[in-house]
Amino acid sequence: MTAVRDATDARQLRRVALSGLLGTAVEFYDFLVYGTVAALVFGDLFFPAADPAAGTVAAFGTFAAGYVARPLGGIVFGHFGDRLGRKSMMLATMVLMGVGSFLIGLLPTYDTIGVWAPVLLVLLRVVQGIAIGGEWGGATLMVAEHADGRPRGRWTSLTQLGAPLGTVLSTAVVTLVAALPDEQFRAWGWRVPFLLSLVLLFAGLYVRLKVTESPLFRALKEERAPARLPLLDVVRRPRAVLMAAGAGIGAFTAQSLLTSFMVSYAVGHGFSRTQVLTGVTLASCTALLVLPCAGALSDRFGRRPVVLAGAALSAATAFPVFALVDTGRPGLLILALVLGHGVAQSTMYGPLGALLTEMFGTRVRYTGASLGYQTATLLGAGFSPLIAGSLLAAYGSSTPVALLLTAGAAVTALTVWRVRETSRDRFGAEQHQQNRSHRKEPTDEST
């Protein structure tokens, strides 16, 4: 009987891991397609320079949609994920993202409805941000809590693969439609990647509907122990959230500087956009190999040593990466992106799913891990390109930008140095007694 139960649990874990990978990849595809298409045509179609009102919407809406909406999504879906369940929130975030992306593909442009076109576009971008803000927590927690007693680092790293896989998919689809004649691409071709979201949505829902709820959350429901206000429980003891955010800042700083910022930086140094996107794609393919390796290593040697190694590698390669790009040679550009993003950043990012989920107790894990992760996204990925662009304009050199990349790695290293090793912890071991007594579960298991 035990062998049958173990086989069933293992099969369910594989299904949950697959649903997390596919769902996260679909959501990142939707989220990243917007950025790529926006760089190609949205400026002319939705934000004409002749209309000051449209320019104002672009200036303030882009910031709100890209950065503020993600932590908001983490808070909202975290609350209901800790109150109602992980699985239902995974399904809700996928529907929200898929429908929002599909509607972008149907939007009239500025020439048709005027300033309402950019307003609706930014609102739908906010919907995308909220959806992806809640996606990571649900997908990662479902895998981590199903894998309790098994190597969580290896299994949760499969969810982390969603980001680079989504990058590869979005870049490939946009590259195909961008090969259309310019008139056709501007007329209807740009809509195709967004309309495909509906197909991907049904495929993702098909997989996710087959998974079962987290066994740890089921135990909470059976004993009527879910937290009433998980966000309040988390912020009352904020150290865990602050440590989770600090642990992720280095990975997100490297991600933003070596992808979105690097596109404009490299183009400014004479590379074509195609050459840069090729480099980003190859770096993402490298990440698909490095991420699960980093997760597996964190099971064997601990989360802290692997993340620290990634932070040290990111800091050590910061100046060489920009020096390689400054040569103006395409091969060295690809090497720089593969080394900095594909290897160093992925080594930090691979164990992050396991590390952040292990910092919080079961009753508040969705809220705490999501808030920490999305705060790191806001601080690391949200502000780094703006700071880097200002430094480059002020000093005319990549040296301050490399220092910024090094600083992000240093924040992660110093934070993780202060975190207790959690790779050997069992989620279920601390839960049962706390559920029975209905005590308020600690939000910080890392101290």
Side-chain angles (χ1 to χ4, degrees):
M1 183 66 69
T2 301
V4 173
R5 185 170 61 249
D6 288 345
T8 301
D9 291 344
R11 183 167 58 253
Q12 184 61 216
L13 175 57
R14 289 192 294 271
R15 183 176 294 169
V16 170
L18 177 62
S19 76
L21 169 60
L22 294 180
T24 306
V26 168
E27 295 221 21
F28 269 96
Y29 162 86
D30 288 339
F31 193 76
L32 295 169
V33 156
Y34 179 101
T36 307
V37 174
L40 296 174
V41 295
F42 277 3
D44 294 334
L45 296 179
F46 289 92
F47 304 104
D51 189 332
T56 300
V57 171
F60 291 99
T62 300
F63 178 83
Y67 306 125
V68 177
R70 291 183 65 166
L72 176 61
I75 292 172
V76 171
F77 285 101
H79 172 83
F80 290 106
D82 284 325
R83 290 284 299 157
L84 304 179
R86 297 17 173 157
K87 178 181 176 178
S88 58
M89 294 305 104
M90 286 175 59
L91 296 173
T93 57
M94 176 165 280
V95 170
L96 191 63
M97 176 65 85
V99 171
S101 299
F102 181 76
L103 290 177
I104 290 176
L106 298 177
L107 270 184
T109 62
Y110 180 90
D111 288 341
T112 304
I113 59 173
V115 75
W116 282 107
V119 169
L120 292 174
L121 179 65
V122 170
L123 286 176
L124 290 174
R125 182 59 169 173
V126 170
V127 169
Q128 283 190 322
I130 291 173
I132 203 167
E135 161 66 23
W136 180 87
T140 305
L141 261 64
M142 279 286 282
V143 177
E145 292 181 348
H146 272 278
D148 197 29
R150 294 182 173 87
R152 285 191 298 263
R154 184 180 70 189
W155 285 104
T156 56
S157 68
L158 298 180
T159 304
Q160 305 292 77
L161 290 175
L165 184 56
T167 300
V168 173
L169 291 174
S170 63
T171 303
V173 172
V174 173
T175 299
L176 287 175
V177 296
L180 291 168
D182 186 65
E183 182 178 347
Q184 295 181 26
F185 178 69
R186 293 172 61 85
W188 58 267
W190 67 268
R191 300 179 184 275
V192 173
F194 295 104
L195 298 178
L196 284 175
S197 298
L198 202 61
V199 178
L200 297 174
L201 169 63
F202 287 124
L205 287 177
Y206 176 79
V207 175
R208 286 194 165 178
L209 284 169
K210 291 181 174 292
V211 303
T212 60
E213 179 59 271
S214 157
L216 299 185
F217 185 80
R218 289 202 306 268
L220 282 177
K221 293 289 286 186
E222 289 170 2
E223 301 193 27
R224 299 181 180 179
R228 294 183 59 187
L229 292 172
L231 179 61
L232 184 60
D233 289 348
V234 169
V235 299
R236 279 174 176 168
R237 300 181 62 185
R239 184 179 186 274
V241 172
L242 295 176
M243 298 297 277
I249 281 178
F252 290 116
T253 300
Q255 182 186 57
S256 63
L257 291 181
L258 298 177
T259 54
S260 58
F261 174 78
M262 184 59 76
V263 172
S264 61
Y265 180 82
V267 169
H269 279 68
F271 293 98
S272 68
R273 187 174 297 275
T274 300
Q275 289 173 328
V276 182
L277 290 177
T278 298
V280 172
T281 301
L282 291 176
S284 298
C285 291
T286 304
L288 293 175
L289 300 176
V290 175
L291 284 169
C293 293
L297 288 173
S298 76
D299 288 324
R300 182 175 179 83
F301 301 106
R303 316 291 182 227
R304 296 172 70 246
V306 177
V307 177
L308 286 170
L313 184 59
S314 183
T317 57
F319 287 92
V321 160
F322 282 95
L324 290 171
V325 176
D326 290 344
T327 64
R329 298 171 62 181
L332 294 182
L333 167 69
I334 292 174
L335 176 61
L337 292 174
V338 167
L339 181 62
H341 179 47
V343 178
Q345 188 270 347
S346 297
T347 303
M348 285 189 285
Y349 188 62
L352 204 60
L355 177 63
L356 267 58
T357 56
E358 290 162 356
M359 287 183 175
F360 298 91
T362 305
R363 295 176 70 238
V364 297
R365 185 168 289 128
Y366 202 140
T367 299
S370 294
L371 186 56
Y373 182 92
Q374 300 303 339
T375 300
T377 302
L378 173 64
L379 297 178
F383 295 110
S384 292
L386 177 63
I387 296 172
S390 300
L391 291 173
L392 186 63
Y395 295 97
S397 168
S398 63
T399 298
V401 182
L403 286 172
L404 179 62
L405 180 57
T406 303
V411 171
T412 287
L414 291 174
T415 302
V416 173
W417 186 263
R418 300 279 298 175
V419 172
R420 180 179 65 84
E421 180 58 58
T422 55
S423 59
R424 300 293 182 264
D425 290 357
R426 288 289 301 271
F427 288 163
E430 45 78 27
Q431 179 180 339
H432 185 64
Q433 182 179 358
Q434 292 168 354
N435 292 350
R436 287 174 63 95
S437 63
H438 284 223
R439 288 191 292 115
K440 194 170 295 182
E441 189 176 60
T443 60
D444 186 356
E445 297 180 0
S446 63
T447 56

